[in-house]
């Protein structure tokens, strides 16, 4: 089952679902967030709860998308309680690009093993522990709260000071935290973990700066288990024409970590188990247009798709105007 959120003519959020057929409005569902919290509080599976509520009218989701009436497939009434985070170096092909960005020489001119490659090897050796055991922790990063989340179809805004504005096609897990602090997974969705790869390349310690950017996810959330072998496509359109395209792989068959291990190392922190919060946690990628020498510009459109996840995730790129910030003493 795939679920998403749309705006009706009265600007009211409606939750819609499809399960191999038509897209229909879910009766009485005010938001995906309220549905997820109800499921957590009642101990009911999300799909079973949706079926129990029943369905209303049929909608044309693709037409709604084209009209700009799709919103992010989950949000929080208070954006400060939605957290955008992620992990890196989690995919079997992810080390090559990062390693080339961070290569360094010793005093004799020989290449040293980069921190990226060390982290990648750690994942290969300990990222898939036996069930019930703890594996090695991955690289982790923070992107911001719900104010940084961009709806499908809306523009990803790159700061004027950014050195690069590059896509990262990823799968994200969507979670809510129950009243007792227990994390619940709503499902999985496509995401564009938008980053500044030039800034990151300057020094690995700039990774934190490079990740403080918008992110987009959706349009639809896949309820249930993550497919083990995901084959998708990432592309960039410029002036309506294809500029760059490349396949991307995800799912545990193509990863050096299990999803359970990545989830454990995120939610082991009590700060991420605050009742009522929403988490969008991105699981990494091995495919970047930046690695192929692509320099994006305002007006380019990013498009990420994978068959199991419904409609593609599309976002145009815009550049913010420069802002001068002055701090005043109180």
């Amino acid at each position: 089952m795939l679920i998403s959120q749309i705006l009706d003519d009265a600007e009211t959020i409606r939750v819609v679902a499809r399960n191999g057929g038509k897209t229909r409005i879910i009766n009485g569902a005010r938001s995906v967030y309220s549905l997820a919290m109800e499921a957590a509080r009642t101990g009911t599976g999300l799909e079973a709860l949706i079926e129990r509520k029943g369905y209303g009218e049929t909608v044309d989701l693709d037409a709604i998308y084209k009209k700009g009436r799709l919103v992010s497939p989950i949000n929080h009434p208070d954006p400060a309680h939605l957290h955008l985070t992620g992990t890196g170096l989690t995919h079997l092909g992810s080390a090559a690009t990062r390693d080339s960005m961070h290569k360094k020489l010793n005093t004799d001119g020989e290449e040293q093993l980069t921190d990226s490659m060390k982290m990648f090897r750690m994942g290969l050796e300990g990222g898939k522990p036996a069930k019930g055991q703890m594996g090695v922790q991955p690289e982790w990063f923070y992107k911001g709260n719900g104010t940084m989340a961009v709806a499908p179809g809306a523009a990803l805004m790159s700061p004027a000071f950014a050195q690069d504005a590059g896509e990262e096609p990823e799968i994200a897990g969507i979670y809510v935290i129950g009243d007792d602090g227990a994390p619940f997974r709503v499902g999985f969705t496509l995401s564009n973990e938008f980053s500044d790869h030039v800034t990151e390349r300057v020094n690995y310690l700039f990774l934190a700066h490079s990740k403080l950017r918008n992110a987009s996810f959706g349009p639809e959330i896949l309820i249930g288990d993550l497919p083990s072998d995901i084959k998708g496509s990432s592309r960039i359109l410029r002036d309506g024409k294809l500029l760059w395209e490349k396949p991307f792989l995800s799912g545990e068959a193509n990863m050096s970590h299990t999803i359970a291990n990545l989830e454990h190392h995120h939610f082991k922190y009590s700060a991420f188990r605050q009742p009522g919060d929403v988490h969008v946690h991105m699981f990494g990628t091995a495919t970047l247009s930046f690695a192929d020498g692509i320099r994006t510009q305002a007006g380019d459109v990013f498009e990420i798709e994978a068959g199991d996840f419904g409609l593609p995730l599309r976002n145009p790129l815009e550049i913010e105007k420069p802002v001068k910030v002055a701090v005043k003493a109180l």
Side-chain angles (χ1 to χ4, degrees), residues 9-210:
D9 292 338
E11 303 295 319
T12 300
I13 287 180
R14 301 292 185 187
V15 183
V16 300
R18 57 181 173 142
N19 198 357
K22 296 179 179 179
T23 304
R24 295 176 292 173
I25 292 175
I26 301 170
N27 293 331
R30 300 188 309 276
S31 67
V32 168
Y33 174 71
S34 65
L35 267 178
M37 294 302 294
E38 182 178 348
R41 286 168 179 150
T42 60
T44 307
L46 185 55
E47 189 167 346
L49 177 62
I50 291 169
E51 294 291 345
R52 191 173 72 197
K53 287 182 176 294
Y55 301 96
E57 65 181 285
T58 299
V59 299
D60 185 339
L61 194 60
D62 191 51
I64 289 170
Y65 197 0
K66 290 175 181 176
K67 292 177 181 177
R69 309 293 289 179
L70 268 174
V71 295
S72 296
I74 194 169
N75 45 29
H76 192 285
D78 179 355
H81 287 278
L82 187 151
H83 307 276
L84 296 171
T85 57
T87 59
L89 297 167
T90 54
H91 284 64
L92 298 177
S94 59
T97 300
R98 186 73 70 80
D99 192 48
S100 65
M101 290 166 61
H102 300 150
K103 276 184 178 177
K104 51 190 175 182
L105 303 177
N106 62 21
T107 54
D108 297 323
E110 296 180 351
E111 288 185 2
Q112 295 177 283
L113 195 63
T114 65
D115 289 336
S116 295
M117 187 57 74
K118 291 176 184 176
M119 181 71 74
F120 178 69
R121 289 186 176 182
M122 287 170 63
L124 287 177
E125 295 169 2
K128 291 186 172 181
K131 188 174 182 179
Q133 296 185 8
M134 185 187 304
V136 66
Q137 64 184 3
E139 175 192 55
W140 181 95
F141 55 82
Y142 174 73
K143 289 192 66 65
N145 59 26
T147 63
M148 302 289 275
V150 171
L156 291 162
M157 303 295 292
S158 183
F161 57 77
Q163 300 297 305
D164 174 54
E167 86 300 329
E168 295 203 16
E170 306 190 13
I171 304 301
I174 307 295
Y175 307 87
V176 296
I177 309 301
D179 295 333
D180 61 353
F184 291 89
R185 187 194 310 118
V186 178
F188 300 94
T189 187
L190 297 173
S191 68
N192 188 341
E193 195 273 286
F194 185 61
S195 299
D196 182 344
H197 302 103
V198 172
T199 293
E200 179 189 345
R201 187 172 60 181
V202 172
N203 188 302
Y204 191 54
L205 295 178
F206 282 171
L207 177 72
H209 288 278
S210 74

